[in-house]
Amino acid sequence: MATVVVTQNSPRAWDHSLCGCFDDCGACLLACCLPCVAYGMNASDSGVCGDGCCGTICGCLLFFVPLVNFICWCSIRSNIRRQHNIPPDCCNDCCAILCCPCCALAQERMQCTKPPPNVQVVVQQPVIAQPTGY
């Protein structure tokens, strides 16, 4: 019987700070000029609204539904945190969404463009002792 050992990288922080939205001007412009599109792309990339164009369109539409958009946005940030091994922080996420929505969208967009950290799966085979001569 084999033993499976799963190892993850240590917890990390966001690759870009909340005020680091100008680290990627494209993400910043998208978040400020077309926030519904950035929201839809983040929703799709995080898995909240499915994958591909349908997920992005669904996310774009959710952006315009009051209260539902806030609940989904919290879920989007939570999923991005989980995918990138960033410790959960619901209070800071809510403050970021409510006080700096464009910065939060840009931060999420930049994080989603980075591949998640690798999770290593190691399968250890048991050592079977061979019988020695009789």
Side-chain angles (χ1 to χ4, degrees):
M1 174 179 239
T3 304
V4 177
V5 178
V6 177
T7 59
Q8 290 185 338
N9 296 337
S10 60
R12 317 171 355 159
W14 291 92
D15 289 341
H16 303 273
S17 71
L18 190 61
C19 296
C21 52
F22 291 109
D23 293 347
D24 181 350
C25 290
C28 182
L29 284 172
L30 184 65
C32 292
C33 298
L34 294 169
C36 61
V37 174
Y39 183 92
M41 292 171 74
N42 293 343
S44 177
D45 289 346
S46 68
V48 170
C49 289
D51 292 332
C53 289
C54 292
T56 302
I57 292 169
C58 176
C60 285
L61 295 175
L62 282 176
F63 182 77
F64 295 105
V65 181
L67 191 58
V68 173
N69 62 1
F70 177 75
I71 294 167
C72 287
W73 201 342
C74 289
S75 180
I76 290 167
R77 282 187 74 88
S78 174
N79 283 3
I80 292 171
R81 282 179 177 277
R82 186 173 32 260
Q83 290 170 353
H84 292 270
N85 204 24
I86 301 170
D89 193 344
C90 186
C91 184
N92 279 345
D93 286 347
C94 289
C95 288
I97 291 167
L98 294 174
C99 298
C100 304
C102 289
C103 294
L105 279 173
Q107 182 186 42
E108 295 159 14
R109 190 73 235 128
M110 289 185 284
Q111 192 72 37
C112 285
T113 60
K114 304 271 188 204
N118 293 335
V119 176
Q120 298 174 346
V121 178
V122 179
V123 178
Q124 297 176 339
Q125 296 292 336
V127 177
I128 300 174
Q130 296 293 330
T132 57
Y134 287 73

